[in-house]
Amino acid sequence: MITMKEVWKTYPNGVMAINGIDIHIDKSEFVYVVGPSGAGKSTFIKLMYREEKPTRGTIKIGDEELSKIKERHIPLLRRKIGVVFQDFKLLPSLSVYENVAFALEVIEESKANIRKRVMQVLDIVRLKNKARFLPHELSGGEQQRVAIARAIVNNPSVLIADEPTGNLDPETSWEIMKILEEINDRGTTIVMATHNKEIVNTMRKRVIAIEGGRVARDDAKGGYGYER
Amino acid sequence: MITMKEVWKTYPNGVMAINGIDIHIDKSEFVYVVGPSGAGKSTFIKLMYREEKPTRGTIKIGDEELSKIKERHIPLLRRKIGVVFQDFKLLPSLSVYENVAFALEVIEESKANIRKRVMQVLDIVRLKNKARFLPHELSGGEQQRVAIARAIVNNPSVLIADEPTGNLDPETSWEIMKILEEINDRGTTIVMATHNKEIVNTMRKRVIAIEGGRVARDDAKGGYGYER
Amino acid sequence: MKGRTLGRHVKEGGKNLVRNGWMTFASISAVTIMLFVVGAFLLLIMNINEFADSLEDDVEVRVFIDLTADEENQSELETEIQDIDMVQTVDFVAKEDGLESLITSFGDQGTYLESLREENPLNDVFVVQAQDPQQTQVLAEEIQTLSYVDDVEYGADIVEQLFSVTNIMRYAGIVLIVGLMFTAMFLIANTIKITIIARKREIQIMKLVGATNGFIRWPFFVEGLLLGVLGAIIPISALSYGYVKLVEVVQGTPELSFLTMTPPNPLILQMGGLLLGIGAFIGIWGSMMSVRKFLKV
Amino acid sequence: MKGRTLGRHVKEGGKNLVRNGWMTFASISAVTIMLFVVGAFLLLIMNINEFADSLEDDVEVRVFIDLTADEENQSELETEIQDIDMVQTVDFVAKEDGLESLITSFGDQGTYLESLREENPLNDVFVVQAQDPQQTQVLAEEIQTLSYVDDVEYGADIVEQLFSVTNIMRYAGIVLIVGLMFTAMFLIANTIKITIIARKREIQIMKLVGATNGFIRWPFFVEGLLLGVLGAIIPISALSYGYVKLVEVVQGTPELSFLTMTPPNPLILQMGGLLLGIGAFIGIWGSMMSVRKFLKV
Ligand SMILES: Nc1ncnc2c1ncn2[C@@H]1O[C@H](COP(=O)(O)OP(=O)(O)OP(=O)(O)O)[C@@H](O)[C@H]1O
Ligand SMILES: Nc1ncnc2c1ncn2[C@@H]1O[C@H](COP(=O)(O)OP(=O)(O)OP(=O)(O)O)[C@@H](O)[C@H]1O
Ligand SMILES: [Mg+2]
Ligand SMILES: [Mg+2]
């Protein structure tokens, strides 16, 4: 599903965030991306939905090579990928409902379908009663759950989540993890960057550890590692 | 050091975030504030440095009652309190160095002192080499560490930290916790909202658990609780 | 694009005006003020033009008829003049009438000229007006060649000066109004641009969530259109009302009777149409240009 | 505030201009354009005023001297007139000269008046100019009461109409320039306001980190001042240069000799000072007003 070949990424300010990554993620896989702060996890993830373009190397999502997709077809790619951003990226002037609905309006769903589906995912993340709130009226964890709801609302074939439980208490984090596992069971590929040792060690999945922009470890059923 | 008496807070949209909290935190205490997402931890904390005003009740920091401080003396209060915001609140157009220095410029420190002190704290959070970066050029965890640096740079007598390790890997989190403990040992009162069970359970301190805007538990050397 | 999506864009564009409250207010008031200035100058310049026309209409050719011409010759000459294409009107002023008005024009002092009545030294005169005042000189030269014409006078110096003044007025007016229109366009587009720069992050988020450029642009299109149209309403109403009142006052005040004002009827309609057009155009253009910059994500 | 803090504020204000690149550009260009319009109109109106003055200066009182007055009486009358406070100049026109210019003014037709030379029907005349043309009527009435004055004439109708035209021109000019200045102030302040609204969050963060209102305000003060001053430079230079050139061209073109233009020397200095003042004032005022709203955190 996702293939990176000899990918390098240097930011305009000279920071070399990704230094030669070769990786293949199969359809329906569940992958944790771990590593110290500033290791390049978010950059690795941003390359997949083309928020950032690689300096060198090729990236394939499904059968499509990202660098070969026409600029105006990029939105179509992004619709197949649900993203939970590390900084949430909610639209500040839209309500919770409107933020989640946006991902469906974009694919021109009917109003009735949008309503049904949005309320469904808001129920899953337990925010049905805050549908009409604006993002700035929510707690940090609530905002993070809206971001999760928006990422899964259109049943994407790939779900990319950057630190999706950083602002959640352990109980809520586990609820979210169960949701992700269910989605994964239905065939969605999941790539999740995380610092949550407990989750990685308990819910064993493939672990890719990134350090200094390189793959330091790639275990099929590895733990978090980095024991102190 | 911090006393709340019968404090209530209802947001303009009708959400009752804090419902009658009575609490006393002594000088040099180290307090964890835990609780589920949306429980009111951040609101509880925002009341202390007066980002939010209580709907009812009195709050005292040191000998001063917040509601009695003149509007133009509020900045003086805030200079005695270092805050790590849950959403970082870095100034986007200032570099890392300038962001941290800002807290010292405000108290009209000399340029030489500012330079020395800022480089010192940037070294503590291991960001000395990113001093000239802008916030948007940093990873999530790096931004969080800048926020921590800014909060401790002027040696405040109270340090309030809202989820200061949410975007940090366990190893970096522990480094930060050791820094906080040192600061605490030198007499600084610390109030820290967190979801990090491991930290709370390992580094035993007073734990205030908030649920539905009320104090549900207040243990002198409690653990995280909420076992599933 | 499906029909319901268009509906969504229109609704969203309208909602955005409300959501960005302060910014919307600032943009609309910029449009309002600028269109007000443009509209006011437009009315002023149309009136100056009218005034210039009326000054030019006073230009006439005085044809002094030869003293030897009898009545028949005179009417012959009159038809000849009337047959010239450029001629609009021909009026006959008998020498007695000419002397009369000469004496009157001297006021009190005129009495000293009374002696002239005994032996009138003036000629009979045809007063000829050209269809287009600017043709006066050519017309005068042509009339000069006719028989029974003693002399032709049209105040060459003064007429040329008058025309250079009225032409300066006209060109200055056009330069002014065009300049003001561009100023207005620049400033309005500028204001809109700033409000959209402030929403840069939002646009980028939309793109990251899978919106196409078109999808993002449409609500901005609607928003720009609404900004422009809403901003045009107040200046159009105020200027129309104010102009009608002004014309009433000027026409009702005898001391101002020399001011000939352009009648409001077609003028305020034209002005309204123009302002609405400018408003809508710049609103749309300004917001489209500004959004474009942020779509590259 | 310590000295080094003031230095910090000035530096910070300057840096902010650079940091907000696009916004700064938009604000400065709004200031530039608006001041350009205000300056251009200022020059135009000063010239129209000058023109009105020169029209009014042509107004004069013609004092017809009684036919019975001998030379001694005449010079008596002359000193009497000269002693009136309002009087600026008194010129004597002998009746022979008066007739001569009357005949000349008739052009070709004047020859028919030659007969008048034999028995000149005109009076000797004093042509009197008032210090302030608007006093002409009062002056005329006062002269009327003197002895050896046969009659006094100052073209009451025409003079009144002329004054009402020149006064309309003056008032319209003042209204226009004041209106434009307010428009400019509003629009510039508006633009600055929008750019500051976009930085609302930053201001709030500063407050939460312990900055006093004054501390936050100072860099904005400097920034506003710089915006205004930078925005004033281009219009001042362009208008000064353009006006000097224009005056040269007009004075070098014979056909335009009737246009009396205000000399550039003090005018462009005044204009420059005014524009700079407006720019600086609105820059500061606009940014101070806008920051204020967000300081309540
Ligand atoms: N937009 C950018 N411009 C320049 N440098 C950047 C940018 N984004 C990230 N970097 C740098 O690239 C490196 C990797 O950043 P990245 O965000 O991928 O780290 P991360 O592994 O996600 O860290 P964290 O766990 O703290 O989120 C960091 O050193 C960071 O400073
Ligand atoms: N500015 C606001 N306006 C309105 N309601 C708010 C605002 N901020 C928070 N709330 C509401 O108040 C409640 C408590 O929010 P708070 O941010 O204190 O929670 P929290 O305990 O910090 O949660 P988290 O762990 O998710 O950060 C939530 O239900 C939230 O929706
Ligand atoms: Mg990251
Ligand atoms: Mg919180």
Side-chain angles (χ1 to χ4, degrees):
Chain A
M1 193 68 192
I2 303 171
T3 312
M4 291 200 181
K5 277 218 181 85
E6 269 299 309
V7 170
W8 299 67
K9 171 68 191 178
T10 307
Y11 281 108
N13 64 357
V15 173
M16 292 160 64
I18 296 291
N19 303 303
I21 281 195
D22 267 298
I23 211 98
H24 179 79
I25 297 171
D26 266 332
K27 196 162 154 35
S28 304
E29 257 195 289
F30 193 130
V31 181
Y32 293 119
V33 181
V34 302
S37 180
K41 302 180 294 299
S42 296
T43 307
F44 174 67
I45 272 179
K46 284 177 184 169
L47 291 168
M48 296 180 187
Y49 58 90
R50 237 221 38 184
E51 181 173 344
E52 297 290 348
K53 287 183 197 169
T55 321
R56 247 171 50 196
T58 56
I59 303 170
K60 271 173 121 178
I61 304 288
D63 305 324
E64 295 182 286
E65 198 184 311
L66 289 198
S67 62
K68 298 226 170 99
I69 299 180
K70 285 206 199 82
E71 195 60 47
R72 64 199 172 80
H73 289 147
I74 291 293
L76 305 182
L77 166 81
R78 290 187 180 141
R79 290 171 193 177
K80 288 188 291 183
I81 305 177
V83 184
V84 184
F85 303 92
Q86 190 170 12
D87 56 355
F88 314 154
K89 292 207 198 297
L90 301 179
L91 292 163
S93 54
L94 301 191
S95 71
V96 167
Y97 178 90
E98 290 168 327
N99 260 291
V100 178
F102 192 84
L104 294 176
E105 286 176 353
V106 154
I107 51 174
E108 309 200 27
E109 271 289 352
S110 77
K111 235 179 148 149
N113 275 349
I114 292 181
R115 180 148 198 90
K116 215 180 78 200
R117 185 69 189 134
V118 171
M119 289 323 270
Q120 213 174 346
V121 293
L122 284 183
D123 196 27
I124 292 178
V125 298
R126 305 204 183 289
L127 280 175
K128 217 169 163 179
N129 59 336
K130 304 230 153 134
R132 323 192 78 204
F133 282 38
L134 290 174
H136 76 88
E137 296 172 331
L138 299 180
S139 80
E142 286 164 347
Q143 288 180 30
Q144 192 153 43
R145 284 180 278 154
V146 178
I148 294 168
R150 181 180 59 187
I152 62 177
V153 72
N154 64 344
N155 294 316
S157 51
V158 179
L159 179 67
I160 292 177
D162 198 350
E163 203 77 63
T165 61
N167 284 279
L168 297 177
D169 57 289
E171 199 161 344
T172 313
S173 297
W174 278 114
E175 278 178 32
I176 296 294
M177 288 316 294
K178 267 181 232 143
I179 297 164
L180 295 190
E181 197 161 37
E182 266 172 46
I183 293 174
N184 179 239
D185 286 344
R186 286 194 306 240
T188 303
T189 312
I190 295 188
V191 180
M192 168 172 160
T194 186
H195 291 308
N196 198 318
K197 190 154 64 171
E198 191 185 336
I199 287 177
V200 176
N201 285 339
T202 310
M203 207 160 110
R204 292 271 164 160
K205 306 280 180 189
R206 176 173 171 194
V207 175
I208 297 175
I210 293 186
E211 266 172 68
R214 284 207 183 75
V215 175
R217 185 161 58 92
D218 187 349
D219 291 346
K221 288 259 182 223
Y224 186 85
Y226 302 109
E227 296 305 325
R228 62 194 196 97
Chain B
M1 194 65 191
I2 303 172
T3 313
M4 291 201 182
K5 278 220 181 81
E6 269 299 310
V7 171
W8 299 68
K9 170 70 191 177
T10 307
Y11 281 108
N13 64 356
V15 173
M16 292 159 66
I18 296 291
N19 302 303
I21 281 195
D22 267 297
I23 211 101
H24 178 79
I25 297 172
D26 265 331
K27 195 161 155 36
S28 304
E29 255 195 291
F30 193 129
V31 181
Y32 293 120
V33 180
V34 301
S37 179
K41 301 181 296 297
S42 296
T43 307
F44 174 67
I45 273 179
K46 283 176 184 169
L47 290 169
M48 295 179 187
Y49 58 91
R50 237 220 41 183
E51 181 173 343
E52 298 290 348
K53 287 183 196 169
T55 321
R56 247 171 50 195
T58 57
I59 302 171
K60 270 174 122 179
I61 304 288
D63 304 325
E64 295 182 287
E65 198 184 312
L66 290 198
S67 62
K68 297 223 171 102
I69 299 180
K70 285 205 199 81
E71 194 60 46
R72 64 200 172 83
H73 289 149
I74 290 293
L76 306 182
L77 166 82
R78 289 185 180 143
R79 289 171 194 178
K80 290 189 289 183
I81 305 176
V83 185
V84 184
F85 303 92
Q86 190 170 13
D87 56 353
F88 315 154
K89 292 207 198 298
L90 301 178
L91 292 163
S93 54
L94 302 191
S95 71
V96 167
Y97 179 90
E98 291 168 326
N99 261 289
V100 178
F102 192 84
L104 293 176
E105 285 175 354
V106 153
I107 52 174
E108 308 199 30
E109 271 289 351
S110 77
K111 232 177 151 155
N113 275 350
I114 291 180
R115 177 144 202 95
K116 214 180 78 198
R117 184 68 189 136
V118 171
M119 288 325 270
Q120 213 173 347
V121 293
L122 284 184
D123 196 27
I124 291 178
V125 299
R126 304 202 185 290
L127 280 175
K128 216 170 165 178
N129 60 336
K130 303 231 153 133
R132 322 193 77 204
F133 282 37
L134 290 174
H136 75 88
E137 295 172 332
L138 299 180
S139 80
E142 287 163 349
Q143 288 179 31
Q144 192 153 42
R145 283 180 280 155
V146 177
I148 294 169
R150 182 179 60 186
I152 63 176
V153 73
N154 64 345
N155 295 316
S157 52
V158 179
L159 179 66
I160 292 177
D162 198 349
E163 203 77 65
T165 61
N167 284 279
L168 297 176
D169 57 288
E171 199 161 344
T172 313
S173 297
W174 277 114
E175 279 178 30
I176 296 293
M177 288 316 295
K178 268 182 233 142
I179 298 164
L180 295 190
E181 197 162 37
E182 267 172 45
I183 293 174
N184 179 237
D185 285 345
R186 284 192 306 231
T188 303
T189 313
I190 295 187
V191 180
M192 169 175 160
T194 186
H195 292 308
N196 198 317
K197 189 155 63 171
E198 192 186 334
I199 288 178
V200 177
N201 284 339
T202 311
M203 208 161 109
R204 292 270 165 161
K205 305 280 180 188
R206 178 173 170 194
V207 175
I208 298 175
I210 293 187
E211 266 172 67
R214 285 208 182 74
V215 176
R217 186 162 56 92
D218 188 349
D219 290 346
K221 289 259 181 223
Y224 187 85
Y226 301 111
E227 297 304 325
R228 62 195 196 95
Chain C
M1 186 169 66
K2 294 183 187 164
R4 61 165 172 257
T5 308
L6 181 62
R8 181 251 174 214
H9 291 326
V10 173
K11 225 169 88 185
E12 204 65 11
K15 273 194 198 167
N16 277 342
L17 286 185
V18 182
R19 285 184 192 129
N20 298 299
W22 248 104
M23 295 273 191
T24 302
F25 178 76
S27 301
I28 291 186
S29 47
V31 177
T32 300
I33 290 271
M34 284 316 295
L35 289 187
F36 191 88
V37 173
V38 169
F41 273 93
L42 196 73
L43 293 179
L44 182 68
I45 280 158
M46 295 303 271
N47 272 288
I48 289 180
N49 241 330
E50 182 99 354
F51 186 64
D53 283 349
S54 81
L55 283 183
E56 290 184 351
D57 282 346
D58 288 348
V59 172
E60 52 195 21
V61 181
R62 296 179 76 82
V63 182
F64 298 95
I65 305 166
D66 205 285
L67 292 171
T68 63
D70 58 20
E71 269 193 32
E72 208 173 310
N73 297 339
Q74 286 191 356
S75 66
E76 227 171 83
L77 177 59
E78 183 164 5
T79 38
E80 272 183 272
I81 294 176
Q82 244 149 5
D83 284 352
I84 302 175
D85 274 350
M86 295 173 274
V87 168
Q88 187 164 40
T89 58
V90 179
D91 286 315
F92 178 73
V93 180
K95 57 182 169 189
E96 292 76 21
D97 299 335
L99 184 60
E100 193 63 54
S101 56
L102 176 69
I103 291 173
T104 318
S105 74
F106 269 74
D108 287 353
Q109 298 297 306
T111 46
Y112 300 107
L113 298 173
E114 290 290 346
S115 61
L116 290 176
R117 284 196 203 276
E118 283 149 38
E119 192 192 339
N120 189 335
L122 304 180
N123 298 47
D124 289 328
V125 166
F126 280 128
V127 176
V128 182
Q129 275 217 308
Q131 241 149 21
D132 174 359
Q134 310 254 4
Q135 292 172 323
T136 303
Q137 193 186 350
V138 189
L139 179 61
E141 278 159 16
E142 187 154 343
I143 293 176
Q144 182 77 272
T145 65
L146 301 177
S147 42
Y148 303 111
V149 171
D150 179 17
D151 198 3
V152 165
E153 210 192 74
Y154 65 96
D157 291 359
I158 298 169
V159 166
E160 264 166 37
Q161 220 178 64
L162 175 71
F163 283 150
S164 69
V165 170
T166 52
N167 283 339
I168 286 180
M169 274 160 67
R170 283 206 189 84
Y171 289 132
I174 290 173
V175 168
L176 201 80
I177 198 76
V178 170
L180 269 178
M181 254 162 62
F182 275 104
T183 308
M185 289 180 55
F186 176 83
L187 279 176
I188 296 174
N190 199 26
T191 308
I192 293 178
K193 192 186 290 169
I194 305 178
T195 66
I196 291 184
I197 292 178
R199 280 146 77 189
K200 173 179 163 182
R201 220 182 97 84
E202 293 180 47
I203 296 173
Q204 290 172 344
I205 294 176
M206 291 180 191
K207 282 233 58 179
L208 289 180
V209 180
T212 58
N213 292 350
F215 192 89
I216 294 173
R217 248 193 238 117
W218 269 100
F220 277 100
F221 179 94
V222 174
E223 204 182 325
L225 177 67
L226 287 176
L227 277 183
V229 171
L230 290 177
I233 289 176
I234 295 180
I236 291 177
S237 325
L239 286 173
S240 299
Y241 179 81
Y243 189 68
V244 170
K245 281 282 155 214
L246 183 69
V247 169
E248 267 173 28
V249 168
V250 167
Q251 284 175 348
T253 313
E255 298 92 61
L256 298 174
S257 61
F258 60 93
L259 282 176
T260 48
M261 296 199 69
T262 317
N265 193 339
L267 182 58
I268 60 176
L269 276 182
Q270 291 162 353
M271 185 267 302
L274 187 73
L275 294 195
L276 203 65
I278 298 180
F281 172 74
I282 313 178
I284 294 171
W285 180 75
S287 77
M288 289 298 92
M289 291 310 287
S290 319
V291 170
R292 225 178 48 159
K293 256 201 302 291
F294 306 123
L295 287 175
K296 284 172 199 137
V297 177
Chain D
M1 187 169 64
K2 294 183 184 163
R4 62 166 171 259
T5 309
L6 182 61
R8 179 254 174 211
H9 290 327
V10 172
K11 225 168 88 185
E12 205 65 11
K15 273 193 196 168
N16 277 343
L17 286 185
V18 181
R19 285 185 191 128
N20 299 300
W22 248 103
M23 294 273 191
T24 301
F25 178 77
S27 301
I28 291 186
S29 48
V31 177
T32 300
I33 290 272
M34 283 317 296
L35 289 186
F36 191 88
V37 173
V38 169
F41 273 93
L42 196 73
L43 293 179
L44 181 68
I45 280 158
M46 295 303 271
N47 273 286
I48 288 180
N49 240 330
E50 181 99 355
F51 186 64
D53 283 349
S54 81
L55 282 183
E56 289 185 350
D57 281 346
D58 289 348
V59 172
E60 53 195 20
V61 180
R62 297 178 74 83
V63 182
F64 297 95
I65 304 165
D66 205 286
L67 293 172
T68 63
D70 58 21
E71 271 194 30
E72 207 173 311
N73 296 339
Q74 286 191 357
S75 66
E76 226 172 84
L77 178 59
E78 184 163 2
T79 38
E80 270 183 272
I81 294 176
Q82 246 149 3
D83 285 350
I84 302 175
D85 274 349
M86 295 172 273
V87 168
Q88 187 164 43
T89 59
V90 179
D91 286 315
F92 178 72
V93 180
K95 57 184 169 188
E96 292 76 24
D97 300 334
L99 184 60
E100 194 63 53
S101 55
L102 176 68
I103 292 174
T104 318
S105 73
F106 270 76
D108 288 354
Q109 298 296 307
T111 46
Y112 300 107
L113 298 173
E114 290 290 345
S115 61
L116 289 177
R117 282 194 204 277
E118 284 148 35
E119 192 191 338
N120 190 335
L122 304 181
N123 299 44
D124 290 329
V125 166
F126 281 128
V127 176
V128 181
Q129 276 216 309
Q131 241 149 20
D132 173 0
Q134 309 253 5
Q135 293 173 323
T136 302
Q137 192 185 351
V138 188
L139 180 61
E141 276 159 16
E142 185 153 347
I143 294 175
Q144 182 77 273
T145 64
L146 301 176
S147 40
Y148 301 111
V149 172
D150 179 16
D151 197 3
V152 164
E153 208 190 75
Y154 65 97
D157 290 359
I158 297 170
V159 166
E160 264 166 37
Q161 220 178 62
L162 176 70
F163 283 148
S164 69
V165 170
T166 53
N167 283 339
I168 286 180
M169 274 160 66
R170 283 206 190 83
Y171 290 133
I174 290 173
V175 168
L176 202 80
I177 199 77
V178 170
L180 268 177
M181 254 162 61
F182 274 105
T183 309
M185 290 180 54
F186 176 83
L187 278 176
I188 296 174
N190 199 27
T191 307
I192 294 178
K193 192 186 291 169
I194 305 178
T195 66
I196 291 183
I197 293 178
R199 281 146 76 188
K200 174 179 162 181
R201 221 182 97 83
E202 294 181 47
I203 296 173
Q204 290 171 344
I205 293 175
M206 292 181 192
K207 281 231 61 179
L208 289 180
V209 180
T212 57
N213 292 351
F215 192 88
I216 294 173
R217 248 192 237 118
W218 269 100
F220 278 101
F221 179 95
V222 174
E223 205 182 327
L225 177 67
L226 287 177
L227 277 184
V229 171
L230 290 177
I233 289 176
I234 296 179
I236 291 176
S237 325
L239 286 173
S240 300
Y241 180 81
Y243 188 69
V244 170
K245 281 283 155 212
L246 182 70
V247 170
E248 269 173 27
V249 168
V250 167
Q251 284 174 347
T253 313
E255 297 93 61
L256 297 176
S257 60
F258 61 93
L259 281 177
T260 48
M261 296 199 69
T262 317
N265 193 339
L267 182 59
I268 61 176
L269 276 182
Q270 292 161 354
M271 184 267 302
L274 187 73
L275 294 195
L276 203 64
I278 298 180
F281 172 73
I282 312 179
I284 293 170
W285 180 75
S287 76
M288 289 298 92
M289 291 311 286
S290 319
V291 170
R292 225 177 48 159
K293 256 202 301 292
F294 306 122
L295 288 176
K296 283 172 199 137
V297 178

